[in-house]
Amino acid sequence: MISELFSVTVLIGILASGIRLATPYLYASIGETFGQRSGVLNLGVEGQMLLGAFAAFFVALTTGNLWFGVLAAMIVGALMGLLMAFVTVNLHAQQGISGIGFYLFGLGMSDLLFQKLMGTVETVKGFPPLKIPFLSNIPGVGEIFFNQNILVYGAYLLVPAAWFVLNKTTLGLKIRSVGENPDAADSLGVSVARVRYFTIILGGVLSGIAGASLSIALLNVFQQNMTSGLGFIAVALVYFGGWRPWGVLGGALLFSMVNSLQLWIQVLGIPIPSDIAVMMPYVLTILVLVATVSRVRAPTALTRPFERED
Amino acid sequence: MAESTALNKKRSPFRIRVEPRLSEPPAWYPAAVTFAALIVALILGGVLISFAGGDPIRSYQHIAKASFGDIGVLSDTIVKATPIILAALACSVAFRMKLWNIGAEGQFIMGAFGASAIVLAPVLPAETPRIIFIPVMIIAGMAAGAVWGFIPGYLKAKFNVNEIISTLMLNYVAVAWMNFWIFGVWTEGGFQMSPKFPQTAWLPRLLEYAKTFPAFRGLTTHLGLVIGIVAAVILWFIIFRSRWGYEIRLIGDNPHAAQYAGINIKQNIIWVMMLSGALAGLGGMSEVSGVVHRLQTAPLAAGYGFTGIIVAWLAKLNPLVIIVASILFGALILAGREIQPSGVPKMIQGIILVCLIASDFMLRYRIVIDRGEE
């Protein structure tokens, strides 16, 4: 049956692009998870992603090397993280508000650099799909999971890695204790400031890669405000996922699958008001927060600056 | 103090210590620190502009000329400042209670939607006189904004849902909601906008009185400015002269004391979020009825809610100072439309906000330099 074949093809297409579209969410949200587990809410992810996206695109375009692009995005993200860390850790800034400042800064700065250095929208040849031998030949599954580009694989590998670091290493223990009870951690000789600097800068690096994944792996262009809210959703996904990497993965997949479905609905010209579908993930995020808030506890010291009692 | 100095004594000739301020700084101090933060932000912005190959002095001159140069552009600046005043008032009342309402953007959009629904549904026929049309639109806009504030307020009070995330999510829902009505229901011939409102649904503008006062010719300043100023004055009285305002301030400063004093914190969370939403909604009404004259996404979802956050912070949450700060930001946004490269105003807004927040540190702490000599 032709129509059935068609719908299976479409289904595979939806799932494959859903898997792909989760990439920026995953990098940014896992980075944010580290920050929040150490007690810092970074609302500036969107700005970091935009600058990362621009840096990656521009460097890839001028040098012709995509990895230099990724590296540039990481450096830019790290610098933004460093600034954010200084403002939050040393200056005890209100984190929700200063994050909006970093967002606007990244939004404006990436636009400014784009105008000055490029001026017109150009495209690069992004990371090509990397077929995993054997696995990519499995019908359906191979197309969905094992025919993606390298940044996509990296995003999914990040999830178990983050879980391992947070739960099975001394570093993870330090991060969690600083986020739960900084006074106790401090009295045991853990430097709260150093741990938070580390997690915020790590978050910046990962947000930078998230931006790069958009500009040189998924869309292969840079445009003003190209993230259009992805970074803010990434922050919400951390709440959605209950501050656990696997939960974040679930949330990222939910958002990306809905996005993918919507794109395909538009491509196929199915007359469903897509705006109603667009609302669903946001509404769902709020509902999940309502449902889980009594069971999943946020890190106790989240958004609280640390001050040593002398 | 003396003990800690003795303990900290090292060989270095002097050390820099940071300690919390125990006494209130003099009255001029916060203003001076804020002003200094603004200057630092402009210098940093200038450095970045020149780094990106621009000319900072000319950029700033351009901003000044394009926004205050003559009565015409001054009027345009005020038009840009009007929605910011209301959005910033909305943020300020929530922030006063340490409720981090990041959703003024969405509440603003819902306000524009609510006001537009009166015209487009239509609730009132097009020939309704203005004196009825405008007040009904104001009420609808404020009500829609208040509903959009009520949701996160209720969820926070009842389920302790983090308001930063819920308000952030509701911003996107509001945009999608508005798009649904624009594209699906009220579209003008398939375009991404509703039909233009009848003139009876427009806020009065100065240029309408050009016959009597020739100086008003071409000036688009509209009644929204008066609405914004009146709202600011009323809010000032609520915050600083009313019992409710006292409760709001007490909850913000010391929730434990407020609890002991028998103040119902949960109820206040809901009411303050609704007031905040209503103010932002009023801003949306003013913008759609005073400037855009139709429901259209791009000019309404233009980030006024986020700018409101910065302005509220710049004004130290004082409703009257917000008016002045909004005009400064109106100038920045207006100049931004023509200034090249176009990212400059947003970037400077961001730097200003970060500098302001950093400067708060100087208000709460003081830096002490200990000399080595005993």
Side-chain angles (χ1 to χ4, degrees):
Chain A
M1 297 279 277
I2 292 291
S3 64
E4 212 168 290
L5 180 75
F6 181 65
S7 65
V8 168
T9 318
V10 168
L11 194 65
I12 289 175
I14 290 172
L15 291 174
S17 59
I19 292 287
R20 194 157 47 241
L21 292 174
T23 307
Y25 291 128
L26 281 174
Y27 282 112
S29 305
I30 294 290
E32 179 76 16
T33 304
F34 276 98
Q36 295 206 9
R37 284 303 279 270
S38 76
V40 179
L41 167 71
N42 174 9
L43 262 190
V45 173
E46 177 94 354
Q48 296 174 336
M49 280 177 71
L50 277 166
L51 277 173
F54 176 78
F57 187 85
F58 182 69
V59 170
L61 189 71
T62 44
T63 65
N65 187 328
L66 293 168
W67 288 109
F68 285 166
V70 174
L71 188 67
M74 291 169 74
I75 293 170
V76 166
L79 286 175
M80 285 284 281
L82 186 68
L83 267 178
M84 176 90 200
F86 176 70
V87 170
T88 35
V89 175
N90 297 85
L91 300 182
H92 301 191
Q94 209 294 318
Q95 292 164 10
I97 308 292
S98 61
I100 297 296
F102 281 104
Y103 154 59
L104 289 172
F105 172 75
L107 177 64
M109 191 71 196
S110 59
D111 189 5
L112 168 68
L113 290 169
F114 171 72
Q115 305 270 338
K116 272 286 165 192
L117 300 175
M118 291 168 50
T120 53
V121 175
E122 293 179 63
T123 55
V124 287
K125 219 166 140 4
F127 283 103
L130 189 72
K131 279 187 197 260
I132 307 281
F134 307 116
L135 292 174
S136 63
N137 294 329
I138 306 171
V141 178
E143 181 62 28
I144 294 168
F145 294 105
F146 301 111
N147 188 19
Q148 307 281 12
N149 69 61
I150 189 147
L151 288 188
V152 179
Y153 297 128
Y156 286 89
L157 292 178
L158 197 57
V159 177
W163 172 83
F164 183 81
V165 170
L166 277 174
N167 295 299
K168 302 287 168 195
T169 64
T170 324
L171 175 65
L173 183 65
K174 280 183 184 171
I175 291 173
R176 285 182 288 132
S177 61
V178 163
E180 286 297 336
N181 193 339
D183 291 306
D186 182 61
S187 68
L188 292 174
V190 178
S191 165
V192 175
R194 200 178 298 167
V195 169
R196 287 187 174 170
Y197 259 88
F198 171 77
T199 58
I200 302 171
I201 292 172
L202 177 66
V205 168
L206 290 174
S207 295
I209 301 178
S213 76
L214 279 174
S215 66
I216 61 173
L218 297 176
L219 307 173
N220 303 331
V221 291
F222 180 84
Q223 285 172 323
Q224 296 135 326
N225 193 22
M226 71 182 297
T227 50
S228 61
L230 272 171
F232 285 120
I233 295 164
V235 176
L237 284 178
V238 177
Y239 286 78
F240 188 105
W243 292 271
R244 288 181 305 247
W246 295 107
V248 166
L249 173 66
L253 281 174
L254 176 77
F255 265 76
S256 63
M257 286 297 168
V258 172
N259 284 350
S260 165
L261 189 65
Q262 228 171 259
L263 290 176
W264 279 87
I265 285 175
Q266 281 174 24
V267 168
L268 298 175
I270 298 170
I272 292 177
S274 62
D275 301 308
I276 299 297
V278 171
M279 287 180 202
M280 285 308 128
Y282 305 111
V283 175
L284 196 66
T285 301
I286 295 175
L287 292 179
V288 167
L289 284 188
V290 173
T292 57
V293 82
S294 56
R295 281 182 290 120
V296 184
R297 214 171 33 78
T300 314
L302 186 57
T303 74
R304 249 177 255 163
F306 173 68
E307 208 167 334
R308 183 182 282 166
E309 311 271 335
D310 277 325
Chain B
M1 275 325 135
E3 279 166 23
S4 77
T5 341
L7 283 173
N8 283 335
K9 206 172 69 171
K10 295 246 172 77
R11 280 214 191 87
S12 58
F14 65 90
R15 357 181 329 114
I16 297 172
R17 272 186 309 124
V18 171
E19 56 185 39
R21 272 177 198 286
L22 298 175
S23 56
E24 284 278 312
W28 55 266
Y29 186 75
V33 168
T34 304
F35 187 71
L38 268 181
I39 300 292
V40 169
L42 290 179
I43 293 172
L44 284 177
V47 169
L48 286 171
I49 292 171
S50 57
F51 195 65
D55 181 342
I57 308 276
R58 271 189 41 206
S59 291
Y60 287 141
Q61 272 175 352
H62 189 87
I63 291 177
K65 217 162 81 196
S67 27
F68 299 111
D70 63 62
I71 182 92
V73 292
L74 181 63
S75 167
D76 290 347
T77 296
I78 288 172
V79 170
K80 281 283 162 204
T82 303
I84 303 174
I85 294 176
L86 286 157
L89 290 175
C91 297
S92 75
V93 62
F95 293 174
R96 178 72 69 179
M97 220 177 102
K98 297 213 164 68
L99 275 173
W100 307 114
N101 177 16
I102 310 292
E105 181 82 0
Q107 292 142 12
F108 185 95
I109 289 168
M110 290 311 278
F113 164 80
S116 305
I118 301 293
V119 186
L120 297 169
V123 177
L124 293 176
E127 55 273 13
T128 312
R130 197 186 236 171
I131 193 90
I132 298 174
F133 228 134
I134 299 296
V136 173
M137 285 172 76
I138 287 178
I139 292 168
M142 291 181 77
V147 167
W148 224 236
F150 170 81
I151 298 171
Y154 179 79
L155 294 178
K156 167 109 181 160
K158 183 92 181 165
F159 302 107
N160 199 23
V161 171
N162 181 301
E163 76 278 13
I164 295 180
I165 302 300
S166 59
T167 53
L168 208 50
M169 294 294 101
L170 285 172
N171 286 344
Y172 294 101
V173 178
V175 173
W177 174 257
M178 180 163 72
N179 281 339
F180 169 72
W181 289 92
I182 292 176
F183 295 132
V185 186
W186 294 329
T187 170
E188 162 139 79
F191 286 107
Q192 306 184 349
M193 52 173 94
S194 79
K196 217 163 179 100
F197 296 171
Q199 297 228 355
T200 46
W202 294 14
L203 284 173
R205 295 185 291 180
L206 283 182
L207 55 84
E208 293 170 25
Y209 306 99
K211 274 213 180 89
T212 343
F213 305 98
F216 287 175
R217 185 166 301 132
L219 299 187
T220 52
T221 300
H222 57 86
L223 192 66
L225 175 69
V226 179
I227 295 176
I229 292 174
V230 169
V233 171
I234 294 176
L235 192 63
W236 188 88
F237 270 98
I238 291 179
I239 294 287
F240 292 109
R241 290 287 180 274
S242 81
R243 187 196 151 86
W244 187 29
Y246 174 74
E247 291 188 3
I248 293 173
R249 283 182 291 138
L250 185 60
I251 296 172
D253 291 340
N254 192 340
H256 292 295
Q259 190 118 45
Y260 283 124
I263 295 172
N264 189 334
I265 294 182
K266 293 193 168 184
Q267 211 165 58
N268 267 304
I269 289 176
I270 297 177
W271 281 115
V272 166
M273 279 305 294
M274 285 178 74
L275 175 61
S276 179
L279 284 165
L282 185 58
M285 179 276 161
S286 147
E287 191 65 6
V288 81
S289 162
V291 179
V292 188
H293 300 144
R294 56 163 38 121
L295 203 55
Q296 191 182 357
T297 309
L300 291 169
Y304 291 119
F306 289 114
T307 303
I309 293 173
I310 309 176
V311 170
W313 211 261
L314 172 62
K316 295 268 179 286
L317 310 185
N318 184 321
L320 301 180
V321 182
I322 281 176
I323 299 172
V324 182
S326 298
I327 290 173
L328 284 178
F329 271 74
L332 196 55
I333 291 179
L334 180 74
R337 286 191 311 194
E338 343 178 343
I339 203 170
Q340 291 299 326
S342 67
V344 168
K346 277 260 158 46
M347 179 194 78
I348 291 179
Q349 285 188 41
I351 298 179
I352 288 177
L353 182 55
V354 173
C355 285
L356 283 172
I357 287 178
S359 79
D360 281 352
F361 183 78
M362 298 297 292
L363 298 180
R364 281 180 288 128
Y365 298 86
R366 58 199 198 120
I367 292 170
V368 185
I369 300 174
D370 294 331
R371 302 266 169 212
E373 71 252 21
E374 287 291 308

